[in-house]
Every structure is written in structure tokens, then in C-alpha cells.
Amino acid sequence: KERTETQFTRLIGATPLQVDLTLVRVTEHQSKNTSEDYLKAFYSTWAEVRERKFDGFVITGAPIANIPFEEVRYWKEMVEIMEWTQTNVHRTMFICWGAQAALHHFHKARRYRMEKKAFGVFRHHGVNPRSVWLRGFSDSPMIPVSRYNDIARDSLGSDLEILIDNAEIGVCMLDDPKHRAVHMLNHLEYDNRSLADEYERDQKAGLGTALPLNVYPDNDPTKEPENPWRSHGSLLFQNW
């Protein structure tokens, strides 16, 4: 969580607005990787903020991609939070598993497991360059991806607009005007070492994960990764 906080606050803090940031966690979930003392010091539970209203709310991912949504321990609260955004939040950004969950809840979109993990930095296609969310974007941004699942295109209704796409690994970003939301399935918030560190963790764990595509210069894992998506991450949050 601490690294994720840094990634998001760096992007949000770079916008022209002065932002009062509130860190929120699911009320009934015990974190495995972050100490309770840290969470109590810096986080509010959703139960503590549910009476408040927010200009923007970011709902991030969770490493539970293979668990059916309804079997996630805190799914009931997650549904309450998603419904709460419709009355207490002006704009919501759902990211990674958060986007998959929101598409499932609001649109009954169908998630499926891909034949192999999409892992690396992939060139995408901006479908609607006139969208306010893509103001300043190039036509073919490079975007970090790390996921096993995709959303079936034929389950996406006409009330959703695909903003960024990739024919090989699936939809990247959708606009959801009915719910005042943007769904980002990938990770423009990542820093240059995010995918490399994930790869190195998998290697140490003996998982045999393939080298992430387009991360290391010359595909040499001894070289420091570069960051060709940094400007697009800043633009996305500035536009949002």
C-alpha cells in the first residue's frame, strides 16, 4: 500500500489543483502486507467516511484476480461502496481489479481468464482522441499491463465507450458516463520498477514467470527499466 500511495499521490500532486487526500480502506478486511498500526495511523475505514462527499474517488486493484467476485470476503462492502459512489462522489476512477469489479456490478460484464498473463508494457490505440479523458494523449500510448483476466467485448453494452484498446490483450480503458466513472484495467500509475520488481519477486518464488515485454532495455534484466508512459499517467490524472 505504501508504494501504491506514492504512485498515486505523485500523479495527483502534479495536477494544478490543490488536493486534500484521504486514504480509505475496506472496513472489514485485515491486510496481509501492511501493518495494522500503519493503517490505523494513515487510513480511514470506509465506514468512517461514508457520510462524506468527495470530488474524486479512486478504487484500486487487489491481488485476487482468480476469485469469483461474490466469493471475495469483503464483496458485500465493495458493492455498498460502489453504490455509494453514485450519491457521494462526483467522479470515480476504478483501476485494475477495481475496474473489473465495477464492470461486473454495474454492467454485468463478463470476465474471463486469458491463455497467458498479459505482462509488460504494450502499445495501445486511442479509440476516441476527442474524449476529455484523453486530452493530450498520443495516438498509440505505451501502457504497463499485469493481469491474467480480460473483459469479454461482447458483454460490454452501448452505455460504455472504449477509450483505449489493444487488439492483442484487450480493452484498456472505458468511459462510463451513466455512473460518472472511468474504468482503467491497466496501470498508468506504475513507476519504472513496478513490473521489474514483480518479475524479480516471481523469479525468487520459483514461479517461472516470463520476462515482461518491453520493460528492460534490450530485454536485458540487468539493465534498469525505462518509463515511456510517465507523461500519459500525468495527463490521465490531470484530465480526470
Side-chain angles (χ1 to χ4, degrees):
K1 289 181 177 60
E2 296 169 58
R3 181 172 184 174
T4 303
E5 292 162 23
T6 301
Q7 292 172 351
F8 281 110
T9 54
R10 182 182 291 125
L11 291 168
I12 293 169
T15 67
L17 299 175
Q18 292 187 349
V19 177
D20 181 12
L21 186 68
T22 301
L23 299 175
V24 182
R25 61 169 170 150
V26 175
T27 306
E28 300 176 355
H29 179 61
Q30 184 77 33
S31 176
K32 293 180 180 179
N33 301 312
T34 308
S35 74
E36 189 66 18
D37 288 342
Y38 181 88
L39 293 174
K40 286 181 178 178
F42 297 105
Y43 278 74
S44 300
T45 65
W46 177 68
E48 292 169 337
V49 304
R50 65 186 304 168
E51 300 303 321
R52 294 176 55 186
K53 295 185 183 295
F54 292 87
D55 294 313
F57 206 73
V58 178
I59 297 183
T60 62
I64 49 176
N66 298 325
I67 303 176
F69 294 112
E70 286 77 9
E71 294 180 18
V72 174
R73 285 196 306 274
Y74 50 83
W75 180 249
K76 181 176 181 292
E77 184 171 356
M78 183 69 180
V79 169
E80 292 175 356
I81 291 169
M82 290 188 286
E83 288 297 325
W84 167 87
T85 65
Q86 299 305 287
T87 56
N88 287 53
V89 177
H90 180 59
R91 290 283 180 188
T92 308
M93 185 184 294
F94 294 96
I95 294 179
C96 189
W97 181 87
Q100 296 175 15
L103 290 168
H104 170 79
H105 173 66
F106 288 127
H107 300 277
K108 308 304 179 189
R110 189 173 72 257
R111 180 181 67 171
Y112 69 93
R113 190 172 178 86
M114 295 184 288
E115 291 184 5
K116 63 178 182 178
K117 181 180 182 180
F119 189 40
V121 182
F122 295 83
R123 188 167 297 283
H124 286 70
H125 170 61
V127 178
N128 181 7
R130 295 181 179 85
S131 168
V132 65
W133 309 119
L134 302 186
R135 186 186 298 125
F137 269 58
S138 65
D139 293 336
S140 53
M142 297 290 284
I143 298 177
V145 181
S146 178
R147 55 183 168 86
Y148 290 96
N149 296 315
D150 193 16
I151 301 296
R153 291 176 187 271
D154 61 4
S155 69
L156 298 173
S158 59
D159 52 347
L160 290 164
E161 180 188 8
I162 297 174
L163 298 179
I164 303 176
D165 200 3
N166 179 292
E168 177 185 0
I169 57 170
V171 174
C172 171
M173 182 176 168
L174 304 105
D175 188 15
D176 185 356
K178 178 180 178 181
H179 298 97
R180 301 187 314 282
V182 173
H183 306 284
M184 167 56 80
L185 291 152
N186 300 321
H187 293 280
L188 279 173
E189 81 279 4
Y190 273 2
D191 58 47
N192 69 307
R193 288 233 31 114
S194 295
L195 294 172
D197 288 347
E198 182 179 340
Y199 169 71
E200 291 167 12
R201 283 196 307 270
D202 286 357
Q203 291 298 304
K204 290 177 182 177
L207 298 179
T209 301
L211 195 74
L213 295 174
N214 305 316
V215 169
Y216 298 100
D218 305 317
N219 286 322
D220 182 351
T222 66
K223 295 182 178 180
E224 187 67 10
E226 298 177 344
N227 187 328
W229 63 88
R230 183 179 293 112
S231 60
H232 288 101
S234 296
L235 282 169
L236 174 62
F237 278 83
Q238 182 169 306
N239 292 343
W240 180 62

